[in-house]
Amino acid sequence: AWDRTGKGVFGERVRAILMDMIAHMEIYCRNPLATQVSFPLRRGINRSSADHFVYDTFSKLGNEFELRGPDMGYAPRGQQGGMMGKGRLWESMRRMICAWEDVKTVRFYN
């Protein structure tokens, strides 16, 4: 379980981040690369490719994992056993990023 406190707050936060990531992945895959933009605007600038937003959401997701470790049952950073099980979590994150890079490669060369 991602949220051992039983409140579901962490799960909802991660779900919101993942849904945002999926929306930007869809924008990236459906629009021509030359004219691609992502919405909503980031700091009023509308020139970034949606893949930049995907990496932003990967960063947000990693930050949530790090901040909410104790809520997932991991000891706080710096305490004994603080990394037990987190290796699998970070490996999952690495696989998601590698899969995204595969999508970008296919998209770029086709």
Side-chain angles (χ1 to χ4, degrees):
W2 280 17
D3 187 0
R4 300 227 172 158
T5 63
K7 298 175 186 172
V9 174
F10 177 63
E12 286 301 314
R13 178 73 181 132
V14 168
R15 183 180 185 281
I17 292 171
L18 289 173
M19 295 307 290
D20 187 46
M21 181 185 297
I22 291 168
H24 288 108
M25 287 177 171
E26 185 176 359
I27 291 170
Y28 178 82
C29 292
R30 288 184 183 261
N31 294 297
L33 292 176
T35 61
Q36 187 182 119
V37 293
S38 185
F39 297 96
L41 302 179
R42 177 171 37 178
R43 293 185 289 278
I45 301 170
N46 196 14
R47 290 181 284 176
S48 294
S49 174
D51 69 316
H52 294 290
F53 289 92
V54 172
Y55 288 111
D56 288 350
T57 53
F58 276 128
S59 178
K60 288 178 190 175
L61 193 59
N63 189 47
E64 284 295 317
F65 290 158
E66 197 60 38
L67 291 176
R68 307 285 187 227
D71 294 340
M72 293 186 292
Y74 303 121
R77 183 178 266 284
Q79 289 186 8
Q80 184 75 14
M83 295 303 287
M84 295 185 86
K86 269 193 178 176
R88 288 187 300 274
L89 184 67
W90 291 116
E91 177 62 16
S92 297
M93 180 76 114
R94 186 191 73 78
R95 286 182 179 192
M96 287 192 310
I97 293 170
C98 288
W100 175 241
E101 288 293 327
D102 290 345
V103 168
K104 286 181 55 180
T105 300
V106 170
R107 175 85 164 103
F108 186 78
Y109 289 108
N110 282 333

